[in-house]
């Protein structure tokens, strides 16, 4: 489902855990063309609308190495990472309560390197490097995991993960029932 907005951007639907498409491996982007620029604009719009601080192309069922991130309070600092790589990570680690637009309503602590250095390309294919800490470092690592087919709940215990799966499945059934009811005009 794609919802068209008047600005020429579109809201994309976000896959929900445990959708198996979230486990696909993303391929590198090779052509930095208009299609990629449009996709990045749509991903940013979808992230802001959700609202979230990061979105990987995997989550909108596009299996190419693209991330959009904005950790500012004012949604005014969009960062785009294409074909990102982590080139350095600190030995120091931190635990951060993470959430994910593909696992709505679930937050849990994940331990990762506290500081990282990442290399990526922008929408014109121009390479850049960034050193990140705090939420930005968490976000880059979390979104890069999506490109490898990994969702943050996979860091949690099997018991917690199964509980989350059951909750997601229940919500999915309710959403489907709601849609069905809307379709037959019962409300
Ligand atoms: Ni996520």
């Amino acid at each position: 489902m794609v919802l068209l907005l008047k600005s020429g951007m579109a809201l994309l639907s976000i896959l929900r855990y445990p959708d198996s498409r979230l486990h696909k491996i993303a391929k590198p982007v090779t052509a930095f063309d208009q299609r990629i620029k449009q996709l990045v604009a749509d991903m940013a719009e979808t992230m802001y609308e959700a609202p979230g601080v990061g979105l990987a192309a995997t989550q909108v069922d596009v299996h190419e190495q693209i991330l959009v991130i904005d950790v500012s309070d004012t949604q005014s600092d969009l960062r785009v990472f294409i074909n990102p790589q982590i080139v350095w990570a600190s030995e120091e680690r931190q635990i951060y309560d993470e959430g994910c637009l593909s696992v709505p309503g679930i937050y849990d602590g994940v331990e990762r390197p506290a500081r990282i250095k990442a290399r990526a390309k922008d929408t014109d294919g121009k390479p850049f490097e960034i050193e990140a800490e705090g939420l930005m470092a968490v976000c880059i690592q979390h979104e890069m995991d999506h490109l490898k087919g990994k969702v943050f709940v996979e860091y949690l215990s099997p018991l917690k993960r199964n509980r989350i799966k059951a909750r997601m499945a229940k919500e999915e059934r309710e959403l489907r029932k709601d849609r069905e009811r809307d379709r037959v005009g019962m409300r």
Side-chain angles (χ1 to χ4, degrees):
M1 180 202 65
V2 169
L3 233 135
L4 284 173
L5 302 177
K6 56 174 180 270
S7 53
M9 284 180 279
L11 288 182
L12 309 169
S13 4
I14 299 175
L15 299 176
R16 287 169 65 97
Y17 183 78
D19 193 307
S20 62
R21 291 169 289 182
L22 286 169
H23 304 304
K24 284 194 187 177
I25 310 291
K27 293 194 174 76
V29 170
T30 50
F32 295 81
D33 53 14
Q34 192 48 43
R35 184 185 70 88
I36 293 297
K37 290 181 173 69
Q38 185 64 50
L39 175 60
V40 164
D42 292 344
M43 283 175 60
E45 195 65 18
T46 303
M47 171 183 75
Y48 287 134
E49 174 70 22
V53 293
L55 187 70
T58 308
Q59 293 176 275
V60 293
D61 201 21
V62 175
H63 302 283
E64 295 174 67
Q65 296 176 10
I66 305 169
L67 315 175
V68 292
I69 292 177
D70 188 341
V71 297
S72 71
D73 294 332
T74 47
Q75 299 194 330
S76 58
D77 189 18
L78 179 67
R79 307 289 182 98
V80 179
F81 297 80
I82 299 179
N83 302 345
Q85 286 177 296
I86 289 175
V87 293
W88 175 81
S90 66
E91 271 172 41
E92 186 202 335
R93 296 167 75 84
Q94 67 182 358
I95 298 177
Y96 222 95
D97 252 357
E98 296 187 20
C100 180
L101 293 176
S102 293
V103 201
I106 304 290
Y107 299 88
D108 214 323
V110 176
E111 187 186 314
R112 302 181 187 271
R115 283 169 292 129
I116 57 158
K117 199 180 280 180
R119 194 174 289 158
K121 289 182 172 174
D122 67 14
T123 49
D124 294 317
K126 202 172 137 236
F128 65 93
E129 255 189 33
I130 180 175
E131 263 190 70
E133 59 181 12
L135 180 58
M136 189 64 178
V138 172
C139 217
I140 293 171
Q141 295 176 82
H142 174 118
E143 302 308 335
M144 279 185 68
D145 275 349
H146 277 301
L147 302 180
K148 296 172 204 140
K150 187 164 183 175
V151 180
F152 86 100
V153 297
E154 288 165 62
Y155 289 100
L156 309 178
S157 70
L159 180 69
K160 276 188 179 173
R161 196 159 57 240
N162 286 333
R163 270 195 210 136
I164 292 167
K165 270 187 193 165
R167 181 168 153 187
M168 290 296 133
K170 185 167 169 257
E171 284 179 13
E172 190 61 41
R173 281 195 300 275
E174 279 160 12
L175 281 174
R176 210 175 300 142
K177 250 188 268 165
D178 283 352
R179 281 196 291 265
E180 183 67 14
R181 233 177 270 138
D182 286 343
R183 200 177 61 78
V184 299
M186 279 169 68
R187 53 177 219 171

